[in-house]
Amino acid sequence: MKDRKLFYLLYLFIAATIMFVNVGCSEDEDPVTPPPVNESEVLVQYLEANSDFINSTSCPAMISATALNTDILAGANITIIDVRSAADYAIGHIQGAVNVTIPEIVNYYRTNSLSSKTKVVVTCYTGQSAAFAVALLRLSGYTNVFDLQFGMCSWAYPTTWNTKKTEGQTSPITLQTTANAKNTAGSLPTLTTGKTTGAEIFESRLATVLAEGYTPASISRTTLFQNLSAYYIVNYWPEAQYSNPGHIEGAVQYTPQNDLKLANFLKTLPLPTSGKTIVVYCYTGQTSAHIAAYLRLLGYDAKSLSFGANNLFYDTMPGTKWNEATEFMNYPVVQ
C-alpha cells in the first residue's frame, strides 16, 4: 500500500512538472506582437536623414532656359522630360525632349538609368507641375534633377505667364502687414501603408502621390479667394518680407529651408481631419509646388497657390518675377 502511495505521488509530481514545462514553453513560443509603427514619424525621420531636400539649400531645384540652352549647345549629357499633354508636346517641344506623364516619371527615371546623366531637366507649361515632379524625384534621392524655371513659357510660349502677371498688376489683392500666429504644435497625419521602415513607407506614399498627379496639389487665386477662411495659408517667405510688403490676409509665415523640420514647426500644420486645406504660396508657385509635393507625401491635404505672388500683387512683390523681356528666350522648338 505504501509503495502504491509513493508511486501515485511520484506520478502526480511528474505530471505536474510536464504540464509546467509545456505551459512555459507555450508562453515562450507565443509570437510577441510588435508595437504599432507611427508611419508618418518614421517617414519624416527617414527623409530628414536622407538629404532633407525640402529644408536644404538645394530646394527649389531649378534651371533657367538660358542655362539649359547652353548645356544643349555644348552637347552636355542631359535628358529633358516634358510632362505636358501629348497634344501640346506634339505642337512643339525642346529638341530631344521625351514626353512622360507625372505618374510615370519616377519609373521612367529608374528604368532608363538617368542617374548617369549630368542633368535631368523636367519642363511643363509654366514650371509648376514640373517643380512638383522634381520634388518627388529629389526626395527619391535623385540629385541631378531640375525643373525648367517658368517652364515652356520661358522657352517659347510666354502667353500664360504674361496673363498671370497682368492679373497681378491690374487687380492686386489687399495686403495684411500684421502677423498671424502658427497653430499650437500637434501631431503628424496618420498614415496606414502597412509598412514599417522609412524606405518602404516612402515608396508606398510616393506611388500614391504620383498617381494623384499635380492637379489636386494646386489651387488657383480665384478658388482661394472665394473663401479665405477655409484654408490654412502658408506664406513661404523670409519673415522680413512677410511684414513688408505684406501677405495674404490670415497667412502664417514659415521660413524657407527651416520651419518645416520635424523639430521646428512641421507639427503646427493642420491635419486633414481639421477641415482646413493647407495652401502654400511663394513668389511664382514653383517653390510652393515643391513644398506641396512633400507635404502630400506626409499625408497632409496641401496645395500650391498657382503663380504665387506674381498673380496677386506683381508690382510690389519682393521676390522672383516673370518679366518677358528677360525671361522669355524664344528658343526653337520641334514637332
Side-chain angles (χ1 to χ4, degrees):
M1 177 68 75
K2 184 181 292 186
D3 290 342
R4 181 181 291 178
K5 288 182 177 179
L6 288 172
F7 178 82
Y8 182 70
L9 289 172
L10 180 60
Y11 172 82
L12 289 176
F13 174 78
I14 293 172
T17 301
I18 291 172
M19 289 178 63
F20 176 80
V21 171
N22 285 342
V23 170
C25 290
S26 176
E27 290 177 348
D28 289 342
E29 291 170 2
D30 282 345
V32 177
T33 303
V37 173
N38 185 334
E39 291 188 21
S40 54
E41 195 99 7
V42 171
L43 177 57
V44 175
Q45 290 170 349
Y46 168 78
L47 291 171
E48 290 191 356
N50 288 273
S51 84
D52 196 15
F53 167 65
I54 290 299
N55 296 301
S56 73
T57 55
S58 300
C59 182
M62 293 190 288
I63 184 173
S64 69
T66 302
L68 175 58
N69 188 57
T70 298
D71 284 340
I72 293 171
L73 294 176
N77 183 28
I78 63 176
T79 290
I80 303 171
I81 298 175
D82 190 324
V83 297
R84 294 176 301 153
S85 72
D88 288 326
Y89 170 83
I91 290 171
H93 56 268
I94 300 171
Q95 176 76 47
V98 292
N99 193 209
V100 180
T101 65
I102 287 178
E104 288 297 321
I105 197 166
V106 173
N107 181 59
Y108 184 87
Y109 184 103
R110 291 171 175 172
T111 56
N112 289 278
S113 303
L114 296 186
S115 58
S116 64
K117 298 292 184 178
T118 302
K119 288 183 185 128
V120 175
V121 178
V122 184
T123 186
C124 62
Y125 297 99
T126 63
Q128 293 165 95
S129 56
F132 177 83
V134 165
L136 296 175
L137 285 161
R138 284 272 182 159
L139 289 163
S140 300
Y142 307 131
T143 58
N144 63 340
V145 188
F146 303 84
D147 53 275
L148 179 60
Q149 188 172 27
F150 298 114
M152 290 300 289
C153 284
S154 66
W155 192 269
Y157 307 115
T159 302
T160 301
W161 263 109
N162 287 338
T163 299
K164 297 303 178 180
K165 165 193 170 181
T166 300
E167 188 176 359
Q169 289 177 307
T170 58
S171 56
I173 67 166
T174 300
L175 298 176
Q176 181 184 5
T177 55
T178 55
N180 299 298
K182 295 178 176 69
N183 289 340
T184 301
S187 58
L188 295 170
T190 299
L191 298 179
T192 55
T193 67
K195 309 300 183 182
T196 57
T197 69
E200 292 172 329
I201 296 167
F202 171 75
E203 286 297 327
S204 179
R205 289 298 303 156
L206 177 65
T208 298
V209 175
L210 283 169
E212 292 172 346
Y214 177 64
T215 299
S218 65
I219 187 171
S220 69
R221 164 183 167 149
T222 300
T223 300
L224 175 65
F225 280 85
Q226 284 174 350
N227 187 6
L228 279 179
S229 62
Y231 303 95
Y232 185 85
I233 304 171
V234 171
N235 170 280
Y236 203 67
W237 289 356
E239 190 171 359
Q241 295 176 359
Y242 172 72
S243 58
N244 182 20
H247 50 271
I248 298 173
E249 182 181 355
V252 182
Q253 188 268 339
Y254 285 75
T255 300
Q257 302 169 357
N258 180 75
D259 282 5
L260 293 180
K261 287 180 177 288
L262 184 60
N264 294 343
F265 299 108
L266 180 61
K267 289 185 176 181
T268 63
L269 297 174
L271 298 175
T273 52
S274 71
K276 280 205 170 188
T277 295
I278 300 165
V279 173
V280 185
Y281 78 96
C282 61
Y283 306 125
T284 66
Q286 295 169 102
T287 300
S288 58
H290 281 67
I291 304 307
Y294 177 66
L295 295 180
R296 292 180 76 84
L297 271 176
L298 304 185
Y300 287 102
D301 179 15
K303 298 179 183 292
S304 168
L305 179 60
S306 296
F307 304 99
N310 274 250
N311 189 221
L312 300 178
F313 48 99
Y314 179 89
D315 289 336
T316 57
M317 62 170 288
T320 305
K321 295 185 179 186
W322 165 261
N323 183 340
E324 183 177 1
T326 56
E327 300 296 344
F328 173 49
M329 297 293 107
N330 196 24
Y331 290 137
V333 295
V334 296
Q335 294 180 334

